């Protein structure tokens, strides 16, 4: 009998591989105790389960059916792994047992909820056995064999196991068909040249049944144990389960919900879909990566490099099951050990995010339904009139002629070129929307994008080799195949033609799941294994073609069945490349659909949200999740896209949105205006003030993006990233941090003038006043009148800020103000990255300045670690030091006495420093 097993730290490993000189042989195979049965508990467990089921049967009048076999009763509810996950099927005992599984009915869950599976794997369900295992230069290679067929068609009998000990904190495990090539994600990943010398993990295997057993050496914590359920690897159904060391699991996007996932029988589906963000739906992007916090504050992450339709089933054991319907099982495991390091290690595989242009971090304004370029222009002028910061003006699809890409409505938007020229004169930028659906109904010869795309064969095709025709905003459309390099050239040429008339600065790529107003195509989808696979994950609409193209559509690289989740990524790569060639500067690009590595090419906004308070809250877990996914340039539509906002909601949302890394107010058509200039003087002033606060923090924010680009740091991050040992932070998603230092506590409810937020242990300083708050790690009530957003600076930090202007261009010419937040030991540290804000590869080419600030023993020092001429254009004007315990008698700047002010709340301020950023200096207070 084969048993699915659990490794405990006290048990010997089945085979210990990362430390041995040679791989073990089958004669050394180990057997582990069944994972839910301890010695002496078997009889008790059977008796207890049997008695429980007997009592339930008496109470229910026998509706539970015949008594299940003892082996089924042994499996606790929380550890029942679903053997019949098909939706829209009433699972009967006959259906279940036809798969060789256990059937025990459980009480029905509440409506809309999943519950304990009625059909689940018995302990002896057939799986693969590890037949051989041999050492390689980087790890090992093994052969897995299944001797009994599973229940999905085209079961694969022999699998190849590849293990690479890539780094001391990264393990790579890949399982694929041993005899035939299979589709693999065309993503560039690092290739290591030598095996890790001192891994912080211990890898073991169970031979029969096969299972991966991964532990953290330092603690013995079991991170993965795939022996808990059988491995299934059929051509179109791949499934592997693992136990989890805790219930604190994050990631697995894109979904709407709390930051921390529920493990209460929760299934998360990954299949890119155009739908307004709604709980439990699969949304615009697919990110098969999770982060998990372990007891004691360590963290690890797991990435499944697979782009097929997928679902991840979570259950309270705690445990997780990956199910995908194509490709291979290609896992990367990141050992951290802290959550920041996990995300850095993940991005070492998928790529670090691009450095955005500085203007991308300004305030953006957009709406669908301006109606004309003149009305758009009026909005820009109103913002200028009230001196409200704005860096970029956007237009939605109404600028187009008949909603066709690369066209301009010559009636309503005839003045658009003049508007763009005016924006540029004022140091502002213009961004426009593009969709991947190309109108197919214009008379031949009248619409070059379609005619030329058709001539070159650049569209998705049907199984018959003809362009697949769907329907989007312009009516019937063909869909660009961005997996084809020739499409990138055609896309560039289209953009060049339009740029000659409207010199845009950035692009917004929407509808790129790809979205389709039809299911599949104008002719539906053909019968077959791609459009009607043996198993369909729990996708919205119950079909892979629901509101998108047919999965059988042909693309240059592969069938759409494999590439669907990559569509937005491939379009982003083509668009970013085109922007670089057209403008010769850093590209600015925002995409709706995303996939791992997207941050290298674009940012993301969280889609078509609603003007509701709950949507404002959900934006925080949304932006934090995308920080995990390596896409730091992220935000939600401020004030909500659909529906009508209120003045209070929009004010509060602007306060929160001013601290989205990507800050854009966007509105739908036929709703009242919601740009800051449209509100009452009081609300308008509150919005202006918080946007000015954002602009004052641009040097700090820009430096955070530099660190993200350089090494994969997060920009916006949850509190537990900085305080992983404090379990009280693990569930917090109504606050967040910028970097290590700035705590944002927004108001997320109507009709209140205070907010309760968690303040981690230590000293925190009010951003505006410098007054200190000493916390033991507790929830604190803070005053929050409508015009106020609570911001606190962490002790030991130095924040570079700047006198704000109404654009980033104006702001960058103003003097710097350095805010020092002293620790309890009177120390502090900070840094500043500075370049021209838009040139390509400034870090890589050395065209930047990098300055480190430090305080120790009452001496502030500014040290230039790298310099270029841009730093000579800005001065350090003011130094504000929070937490100076005693009034100084004098202050010395480079040894020369300097006037200062000192307030009762222990804030020391020295103004009119006049020091060039390119020069190091010191300031001492005595």
């Amino acid at each position: 009998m084969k048993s699915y097993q659990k490794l405990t730290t006290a048990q010997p490993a089945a085979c210990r591989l990362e430390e041995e000189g040679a791989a073990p042989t089958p004669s050394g195979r180990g057997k582990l105790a069944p994972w839910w049965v301890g010695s002496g508990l078997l009889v008790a467990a059977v008796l207890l389960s049997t008695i429980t089921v007997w009592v339930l049967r008496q109470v229910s009048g026998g509706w539970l059916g015949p008594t299940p076999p003892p082996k089924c009763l042994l499996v606790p509810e929380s550890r029942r792994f679903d053997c019949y996950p098909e939706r829209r099927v009433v699972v009967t005992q006959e259906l279940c047992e036809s798969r060789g599984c256990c059937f025990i009915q459980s009480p029905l869950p509440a409506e809309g909820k999943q519950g304990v599976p009625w059909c689940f794997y018995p302990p002896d369900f057939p799986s693969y056995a590890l037949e051989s295992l041999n050492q390689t230069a980087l790890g090992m290679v093994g052969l897995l064999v299944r001797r009994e067929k599973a229940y999905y068609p085209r079961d694969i009998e022999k699998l190849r196991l590849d293990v690479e000990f890539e780094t001391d904190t990264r393990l790579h495990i890949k399982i694929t068909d041993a005899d035939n090539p299979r589709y693999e994600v065309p993503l560039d990943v690092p290739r290591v040249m030598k095996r890790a010398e001192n891994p912080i993990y211990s890898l073991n295997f169970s031979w029969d049944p096969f299972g991966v057993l991964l532990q953290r050496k330092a603690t013995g914590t079991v991170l993965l144990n795939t022996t808990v359920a059988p491995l299934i690897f059929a051509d179109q159904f791949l499934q592997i389960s693992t136990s989890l060391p805790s219930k604190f699991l994050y990631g697995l996007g894109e979904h709407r919900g709390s930051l921390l996932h529920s493990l209460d029988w929760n299934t998360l589906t990954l299949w890119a879909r155009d739908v307004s963000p709604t709980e439990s739906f699969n949304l615009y992007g697919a990110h098969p990566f999770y982060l998990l916090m372990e007891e004691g504050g360590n963290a690890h992450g797991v990435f499944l490099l697979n782009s097929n339709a997928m679902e991840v089933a979570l259950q309270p054991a705690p445990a997780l099951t990956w199910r995908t319907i194509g490709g291979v099982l290609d896992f990367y495991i990141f050992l951290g050990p802290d959550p920041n390091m996990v995300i850095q290690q993940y991005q070492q595989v998928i790529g670090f995010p691009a450095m955005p242009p500085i203007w991308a971090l300004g305030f953006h304004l957009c709406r669908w339904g301006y109606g004309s370029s003149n009305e758009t222009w009026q909005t820009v002028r109103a913002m200028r009139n009230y001196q409200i910061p704005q860096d970029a003006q956007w237009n939605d699809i109404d600028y187009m002629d008949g909603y066709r890409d690369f066209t301009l409505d010559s009636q309503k938007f005839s003045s658009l070129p003049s508007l763009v020229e005016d924006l540029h004169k004022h140091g502002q930028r213009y961004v426009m929307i593009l969709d991947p659906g190309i109108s197919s109904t214009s008379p031949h010869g009248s619409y070059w994008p379609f005619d030329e795309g058709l001539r070159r064969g650049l569209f998705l095709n049907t199984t018959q080799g003809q362009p697949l025709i769907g329907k989007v905003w312009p009516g019937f459309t063909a869909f660009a195949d961005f997996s084809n390099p020739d499409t990138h050239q055609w896309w560039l040429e289209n953009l060049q033609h339009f740029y000659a008339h409207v010199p845009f600065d950035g692009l917004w790529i929407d509808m790129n799941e790809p979205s389709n107003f039809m299911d599949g195509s104008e002719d539906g989808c053909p019968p077959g294994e791609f459009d009607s696979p043996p198993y369909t994950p729990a996708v919205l609409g119950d079909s892979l073609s629901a509101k998108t193209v047919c999965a059988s559509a042909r693309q240059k690289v592969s069938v759409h069945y494999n590439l669907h989740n990559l569509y937005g990524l491939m379009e982003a790569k083509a668009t970013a490349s085109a922007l670089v060639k057209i403008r010769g500067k850093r590209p600015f690009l925002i995409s709706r659909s995303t996939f791992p590595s997207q941050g290298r090419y674009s940012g993301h906004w969280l889609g078509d949200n609603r003007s509701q308070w709950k949507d404002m809250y959900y934006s925080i877990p949304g932006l934090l999740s995308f920080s995990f996914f390596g896409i730091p340039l992220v935000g939600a539509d401020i004030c909500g896209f659909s529906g009508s906002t209120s003045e209070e909601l929009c004010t509060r949302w602007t306060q929160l949105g001013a601290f989205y890394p990507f800050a854009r107010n966007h509105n739908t058509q036929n709703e009242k205006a919601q740009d800051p200039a449209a509100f009452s003087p009081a609300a308008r002033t509150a919005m202006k003030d918080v946007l000015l606060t954002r602009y004052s923090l641009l040097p700090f924010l820009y430096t955070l993006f530099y660190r993200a680009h350089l090494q994969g740091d997060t920009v916006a991050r949850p509190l537990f990233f900085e305080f992983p040992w404090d379990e009280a932070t693990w569930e917090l998603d109504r606050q967040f941090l910028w970097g290590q230092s700035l705590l944002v506590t927004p108001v997320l409810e109507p009709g209140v003038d205070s907010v309760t937020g968690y303040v981690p242990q230590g000293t925190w300083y009010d951003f505006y006043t410098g007054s200190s708050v000493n916390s033991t790690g507790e929830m604190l009530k803070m005053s929050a009148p409508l015009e106020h957003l609570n911001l606190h600076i962490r002790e030991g930090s130095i924040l570079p800020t700047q006198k704000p202007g109404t654009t980033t261009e104006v702001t960058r010419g103003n003097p710097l103000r350095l805010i020092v937040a002293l620790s309890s030991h009177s120390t502090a540290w900070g840094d500043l990255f500075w370049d021209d804000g838009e040139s390509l590869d400034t870090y890589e080419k050395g065209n930047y300045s990098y300055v480190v600030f430090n305080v120790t023993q009452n001496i502030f020092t500014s040290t230039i670690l790298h310099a270029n001429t841009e730093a000579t254009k800005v001065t350090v004007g003011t130094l504000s030091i929070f937490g100076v315990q005693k009034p100084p008698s004098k202050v010395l700047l480079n040894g020369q006495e300097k006037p200062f002010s000192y307030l009762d709340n222990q804030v020391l301020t020295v103004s009119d420093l006049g020091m060039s950023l390119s020069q190091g200096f010191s300031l001492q207070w005595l």
Side-chain angles (χ1 to χ4, degrees):
M1 175 186 289
K2 300 172 183 176
S3 295
Y4 295 92
Q5 304 150 334
K6 181 179 181 180
L7 180 73
T8 67
T9 55
Q11 290 168 332
C15 46
R16 193 170 299 276
L17 297 167
E18 87 297 341
E19 299 167 324
E20 301 296 331
T25 60
S27 61
R29 296 174 185 177
K31 284 284 188 179
L32 306 179
W35 76 299
W36 53 76
V37 183
S39 60
L41 293 180
L42 177 59
V43 175
V46 173
L47 284 173
L48 182 60
S49 299
T50 304
I51 292 169
T52 301
V53 172
W54 181 85
V55 170
L56 286 172
R57 289 175 199 287
Q58 303 311 305
V59 172
S60 65
W63 68 272
L64 290 176
T67 302
K71 68 179 182 181
C72 298
L73 294 172
L74 281 173
V75 185
E77 285 190 348
S78 68
R79 294 169 183 169
R80 293 178 182 173
F81 290 84
D82 199 344
C83 178
Y84 217 110
E86 283 83 351
R87 301 297 175 98
R88 313 298 182 215
V89 175
V90 177
V91 182
T92 64
Q93 184 167 352
E94 182 180 10
L95 284 174
C96 179
E97 292 178 351
S98 71
R99 292 186 170 182
C101 290
C102 296
F103 184 82
I104 299 178
Q105 287 176 275
S106 302
L108 291 172
E111 186 176 355
K113 299 285 186 181
Q114 298 170 245
V116 181
W118 292 6
C119 184
F120 57 93
Y121 296 106
D124 58 351
F125 192 91
S127 184
Y128 288 86
L130 181 57
E131 282 286 304
S132 65
L133 195 64
N134 296 294
Q135 293 282 348
T136 65
L138 298 178
M140 61 202 72
V141 61
L143 177 67
L144 309 181
V145 177
R146 174 181 277 280
R147 295 185 179 85
E148 295 183 48
K149 287 284 187 181
Y151 45 82
Y152 283 106
R154 298 188 301 281
D155 206 13
I156 296 173
E157 180 185 354
K158 295 181 180 180
L159 301 176
R160 176 187 171 102
L161 168 70
D162 286 286
V163 177
E164 294 185 355
F165 302 100
E166 293 195 340
T167 73
D168 289 346
T169 57
R170 185 174 84 225
L171 176 65
H172 187 188
I173 299 175
K174 181 175 168 183
I175 301 172
T176 188
D177 189 328
D179 298 323
N180 300 293
R182 292 180 60 80
Y183 163 76
E184 297 187 30
V185 181
L187 188 71
D188 293 330
V189 293
R191 301 294 180 196
V192 298
M193 304 307 294
K194 67 174 186 175
R195 178 179 176 144
E197 295 180 356
N198 297 295
I200 66 171
Y201 47 84
S202 172
L203 178 66
N204 313 297
F205 292 102
S206 169
W207 287 79
D208 190 3
F210 167 73
V212 175
L213 304 154
L214 180 68
Q215 287 178 279
R216 184 181 298 281
K217 282 183 179 177
T219 61
T221 302
V222 178
L223 309 183
L224 296 178
N225 173 9
T226 70
T227 67
V228 295
L231 167 65
I232 297 178
F233 201 122
D235 183 37
Q236 289 182 276
F237 186 88
L238 291 70
Q239 177 175 279
I240 190 168
S241 302
T242 180
S243 62
L244 299 171
S246 87
K247 65 177 183 179
F248 293 96
L249 182 139
Y250 316 82
L252 299 174
E254 179 177 7
H255 297 94
R256 164 183 279 211
S258 59
L259 183 64
L260 177 67
H261 286 303
S262 167
L263 270 58
D264 188 17
W265 306 107
N266 181 20
T267 297
L268 303 169
T269 305
L270 282 65
W271 182 248
R273 167 64 193 249
D274 173 8
V275 61
S276 294
T278 305
E279 298 87 319
S280 81
F281 288 179
N282 49 296
L283 301 182
Y284 310 108
H287 293 271
F289 166 82
Y290 71 77
L291 171 76
L292 189 137
M293 292 299 295
E294 306 159 28
E295 184 179 346
N298 286 329
H300 71 274
V302 177
F303 172 42
L304 172 55
L305 179 51
N306 182 293
S307 63
N308 289 89
M310 181 188 308
E311 62 190 17
V312 184
L314 308 175
Q315 63 192 76
L320 173 151
T321 297
W322 299 93
R323 289 189 202 105
T324 184
I325 60 172
V328 302
L329 296 176
D330 192 0
F331 289 102
Y332 289 85
I333 302 98
F334 311 100
L335 274 288
D338 74 48
N340 288 292
M341 296 174 72
V342 170
I343 301 305
Q344 290 174 347
Q345 292 156 13
Y346 175 41
Q347 291 174 89
Q348 287 168 4
V349 170
I350 64 171
F352 296 130
M355 186 71 189
I358 184 70
W359 64 265
L361 308 185
F363 181 61
H364 301 248
L365 196 53
C366 185
R367 81 165 298 171
W368 179 22
Y370 281 124
S372 69
S373 49
N374 286 340
E375 188 178 335
T376 309
W377 209 336
Q378 287 172 12
T379 302
V380 173
R381 289 179 178 131
M383 293 286 285
R384 290 178 192 158
N385 181 55
Y386 292 117
Q387 297 184 298
I388 302 171
Q390 182 188 359
D391 257 82
Q393 180 61 53
W394 297 38
N395 277 124
D396 208 318
I397 56 175
D398 42 348
Y399 79 86
M400 301 177 184
D401 179 9
Y403 299 145
R404 296 179 304 165
D405 277 354
F406 313 113
T407 66
L408 187 64
D409 185 328
S410 60
Q411 301 291 314
K412 296 176 181 177
F413 281 81
S414 58
S415 63
L416 185 58
S418 299
L419 165 58
V420 174
E421 182 182 6
D422 178 67
L423 288 168
H424 290 165
K425 284 179 180 177
H426 286 83
Q428 295 172 303
R429 306 302 199 278
Y430 180 70
V431 179
M432 66 186 198
I433 196 170
L434 281 178
D435 294 338
I438 302 297
S439 175
S440 61
T441 57
S442 300
H444 181 71
S446 66
Y447 185 48
W448 191 88
F450 178 74
D451 293 341
E452 189 64 14
L454 186 65
R455 186 184 74 79
R456 300 188 198 179
L458 304 179
F459 298 121
L460 270 66
N461 285 334
T462 66
T463 54
Q464 303 302 310
Q466 298 300 312
L468 182 147
I469 302 299
K471 192 173 186 180
V472 203
W473 294 113
F476 290 109
T477 56
F479 297 87
D481 177 10
F482 292 103
S483 76
N484 186 342
D486 295 339
T487 305
H488 292 214
Q489 177 62 29
W490 163 85
W491 194 245
L492 168 64
E493 291 169 20
N494 279 295
L495 285 167
Q496 287 173 326
H497 296 158
F498 194 80
Y499 186 85
H501 300 285
V502 180
F504 51 84
D505 300 283
L507 291 169
W508 169 23
I509 51 175
D510 191 14
M511 307 290 285
N512 55 352
E513 292 72 31
S515 176
N516 185 359
F517 296 164
M518 299 174 158
D519 290 346
S521 77
E522 62 177 343
D523 300 316
C525 296
E529 62 187 8
F530 295 126
D531 293 298
S532 303
Y535 180 81
T536 300
V539 298
L540 178 63
D542 301 319
S543 167
L544 297 183
S545 63
K547 296 297 178 280
T548 188
V549 300
C550 297
S552 58
R554 295 177 179 174
Q555 297 189 234
K556 179 76 172 180
V557 166
S558 185
V559 69
H560 190 74
Y561 180 91
N562 293 326
L563 301 180
H564 173 83
N565 281 337
L566 297 171
Y567 194 91
L569 171 63
M570 290 179 167
E571 185 190 14
K573 291 176 70 172
T575 309
S577 172
L579 279 168
V580 170
K581 290 175 181 175
I582 290 169
R583 299 184 69 250
K585 298 175 182 177
R586 266 177 244 167
F588 171 74
L589 181 60
I590 295 293
S591 176
R592 191 167 73 179
S593 189
T594 59
F595 190 79
S597 81
Q598 189 92 23
R600 296 170 59 189
Y601 312 102
S602 84
H604 173 64
W605 96 105
L606 297 173
D608 294 340
N609 61 4
R610 303 166 187 85
S611 297
Q612 297 176 4
W613 289 90
K614 73 170 186 175
D615 287 62
M616 178 166 62
Y617 153 66
Y618 278 129
S619 71
I620 299 176
L623 75 91
L624 295 177
S625 292
F626 274 88
S627 293
F628 303 166
F629 302 149
I631 307 175
L633 189 64
V634 59
D637 285 344
I638 295 170
C639 303
F641 172 69
S642 65
S644 187
T645 194
S646 68
E647 184 162 287
E648 181 189 13
L649 174 60
C650 199
T651 301
R652 292 300 195 190
W653 207 326
T654 303
Q655 290 168 345
L656 167 60
F659 287 85
Y660 294 156
F662 166 58
R664 182 186 70 161
N665 177 316
H666 181 40
N667 192 8
T668 190
Q669 61 180 353
N670 303 321
E671 295 289 351
K672 62 185 181 183
Q674 64 182 35
D675 55 274
F679 291 97
S680 72
R684 189 170 62 233
T685 299
M687 295 180 192
K688 174 182 175 180
D689 286 349
V690 77
L691 290 173
L692 287 170
T693 300
R694 176 190 179 87
Y695 274 61
S696 76
L697 284 159
L698 283 173
F700 176 58
L701 180 60
Y702 193 58
T703 301
L704 292 177
F705 270 96
Y706 151 74
R707 299 178 72 84
H709 172 63
L710 180 66
Q711 62 190 34
D713 283 6
T714 53
V715 175
R717 66 188 64 162
L719 275 70
F720 75 81
F721 269 46
E722 291 301 314
F723 304 92
W725 60 87
D726 182 356
E727 289 195 27
T729 64
W730 292 9
E731 296 187 47
L732 298 178
D733 60 7
R734 300 174 73 87
Q735 300 166 270
F736 58 95
L737 292 159
W738 267 12
Q740 299 178 329
S741 314
L742 190 64
L743 176 61
V744 183
T745 307
V747 172
L748 302 173
E749 298 170 343
V752 298
D753 59 5
S754 66
V755 61
T756 300
Y758 189 78
V759 180
Q761 184 176 13
T763 301
W764 296 79
Y765 297 92
D766 184 289
F767 171 80
Y768 309 98
T769 67
S771 296
S772 62
V773 177
N774 295 302
S775 175
T776 58
E778 56 199 309
M779 300 296 292
L780 296 177
K781 185 176 181 179
M782 310 172 197
S783 176
L786 187 58
E787 69 277 6
H788 184 71
L789 171 69
N790 278 278
L791 299 173
H792 291 87
I793 306 176
R794 185 180 180 182
E795 64 171 303
S797 306
I798 300 177
L799 269 57
T801 72
Q802 204 161 19
K803 181 182 177 182
T806 53
T807 64
T808 53
E809 188 173 290
V810 172
T811 301
R812 281 173 58 81
N814 290 337
L816 291 165
R817 176 193 176 210
L818 306 178
I819 302 176
V820 178
L822 292 176
S823 72
S824 56
H825 303 292
S826 296
T827 60
W829 186 92
D831 61 344
L832 173 63
F833 176 82
W834 193 272
D835 62 9
D836 69 6
E838 62 178 7
S839 293
L840 292 164
D841 302 325
T842 56
Y843 174 77
E844 290 76 7
K845 295 175 180 177
N847 297 328
Y848 68 95
S849 294
Y850 182 67
V851 186
V852 168
F853 309 114
N854 193 59
V855 172
T856 183
Q857 296 181 335
N858 291 4
I859 300 175
F860 170 94
T861 56
S862 173
T863 306
I864 316 300
L865 296 187
H866 193 279
N868 80 331
T869 56
E870 287 296 323
T872 63
K873 301 175 184 178
V874 65
T875 60
V876 179
T878 304
L879 192 63
S880 295
I881 306 169
F882 298 169
V884 177
Q885 300 289 327
K886 299 175 182 177
S889 59
K890 60 181 174 180
V891 169
L892 303 176
L893 174 63
N894 289 339
Q896 301 295 313
E897 198 163 334
K898 195 76 178 168
F900 64 91
S901 67
Y902 181 83
L903 301 178
D904 290 343
N905 63 347
Q906 301 183 337
V907 174
L908 169 64
T909 301
V910 188
S911 303
D912 301 320
L913 295 175
M915 300 300 300
S916 171
L917 181 63
S918 62
Q919 296 176 324
F921 68 92
S922 66
L923 186 140
Q924 182 178 15
W925 58 100
L926 303 170

